[in-house]
Amino acid sequence: MEFAKLNDGNQLPLLGLGVWQVPDGSSCENAVRWALDLGYRHIDTAQAYRNEASVGKALRDSGVPRDEVFITTKFYPGGKDPVAEAEHSLRRLGLDQVDLYLVHWPQGGPVRAWPGMERARERGLARSIGVSNFSAADLDAVTGAGSVVPAANQVQFSAVEYRRGLLEACHRHGIALEAYSPLGTGRHLRDRRVADIAARTGRTPAQVLLRWCVQHGVPVIPKSTHRERIAENAQIFDFSLSAADMAALDELDKTRGTDRALERSWWR
Ligand code: A2P
């Protein structure tokens, strides 16, 4: 497994399983257990997904030692207190600490939740803290106001949403950009140009899209509830894309290299 080094010294595995939109119960437990059996060591959940209990159960059932797995959860920003909500998450997960705790989106402004996030880290509830769905301007605000710089900013990011300005802003602040929806929630798998590169390199469209991210140094958390796809999505460290294929994929960007995290902020 390859890692991204975070600004607090912790290491984030470049590949994780995302469980957004996976219902609590057997489908989430199966997906997480399969992923752990197949060698994944990074699982990404959130309070808003309502499946933390299944993630915790699958982790215990897997027999993989706790300290070998990187677990992320996210503060639901409709809530008041990140510390109290982290304690609730840990109870549901059956853990003493998460590896990464993110503000899920900047509701109420980019700074509102941050003092509580810093307290959650001070109390040992999370090893690292960060943000999600933060634009470059949001990052400027939170880094200017707090004493801890977020370790990560998890955003919608793929070849088709190549937010170059946001990636550069993250680099400037020493923040790791993490990619959610790296397959465009499945839509980008049907892109003809992705399919052409996949056919030529003997890989699948999913592997090409995921490899594009990790080759840019960006951690990815593809979601799947199918064992064979979870396995397929992990086979991205045994090949590389040529400079020409990387450049061709870079060209798929439809965001015009934006420094925004989203085209529309649903919480405003
Ligand atoms: P499923 O969960 O039914 O396997 P993203 O990570 O960008 O949000 O994309 C997730 C979507 O892509 C889900 O609908 C998932 O379907 C599908 N998916 C994930 N991996 C693959 C794959 N290797 N091949 C085809 N579809 C995939």
Side-chain angles (χ1 to χ4, degrees), residues 214-231:
V214 300
Q215 212 163 307
H216 273 300
V218 171
V220 279
I221 47 164
K223 172 261 176 187
S224 179
T225 49
H226 294 88
R227 195 179 202 282
E228 66 283 1
R229 291 177 175 174
I230 294 171

Side-chain angles (χ1 to χ4, degrees), residues 50-73:
R50 299 180 174 276
N51 56 17
E52 291 169 310
S54 295
V55 170
K57 179 167 190 313
L59 176 60
R60 284 190 298 283
D61 290 351
S62 73
V64 178
R66 165 68 187 101
D67 60 3
E68 290 182 17
V69 185
F70 193 102
I71 302 283
T72 298
T73 196

Side-chain angles (χ1 to χ4, degrees), residues 18-206:
V19 294
W20 178 41
Q21 292 183 331
V22 181
D24 204 30
S26 58
S27 52
C28 186
E29 286 168 28
N30 284 336
V32 173
R33 215 190 44 251
W34 289 330
L36 293 170
D37 287 350
L38 289 160
Y40 285 62
R41 290 294 178 266
H42 170 190
I43 309 292
D44 184 280
T45 183
Q47 291 161 358
Y49 304 168
R50 299 180 174 276
N51 56 17
E52 291 169 310
S54 295
V55 170
K57 179 167 190 313
L59 176 60
R60 284 190 298 283
D61 290 351
S62 73
V64 178
R66 165 68 187 101
D67 60 3
E68 290 182 17
V69 185
F70 193 102
I71 302 283
T72 298
T73 196
K74 309 183 194 83
F75 170 60
Y76 168 65
K80 225 173 107 202
D81 179 9
V83 170
E85 297 307 331
E87 283 165 347
H88 293 146
S89 280
L90 292 172
R91 209 163 307 133
R92 288 186 291 267
L93 286 159
L95 300 177
D96 300 329
Q97 185 182 53
V98 288
D99 297 282
L100 181 60
Y101 189 37
L102 304 176
V103 181
H104 207 153
W105 57 83
Q107 186 168 319
V111 178
R112 185 189 75 91
W114 198 245
M117 298 296 287
E118 293 185 335
R119 279 196 298 278
R121 194 181 86 141
E122 276 161 26
R123 293 188 191 186
L125 307 178
R127 290 170 65 225
S128 297
I129 52 172
V131 296
S132 180
N133 296 302
F134 274 43
S135 67
D138 294 331
L139 294 178
D140 288 342
V142 74
T143 53
S147 50
V148 175
V149 174
N153 182 22
Q154 187 184 107
V155 298
Q156 182 205 47
F157 191 86
S158 73
V160 182
E161 291 98 5
Y162 183 18
R163 305 176 186 279
R164 215 185 273 243
L166 186 54
L167 185 61
E168 283 164 11
C170 285
H171 286 162
R172 259 197 320 277
H173 288 295
I175 297 169
L177 185 148
E178 241 188 302
Y180 75 69
S181 299
L183 310 176
T185 61
R187 288 186 322 280
H188 305 337
L189 297 169
R190 294 189 293 274
D191 188 291
R192 186 185 43 76
R193 292 152 301 179
V194 174
D196 286 348
I197 293 173
R200 199 157 29 70
T201 53
R203 293 286 165 160
T204 67

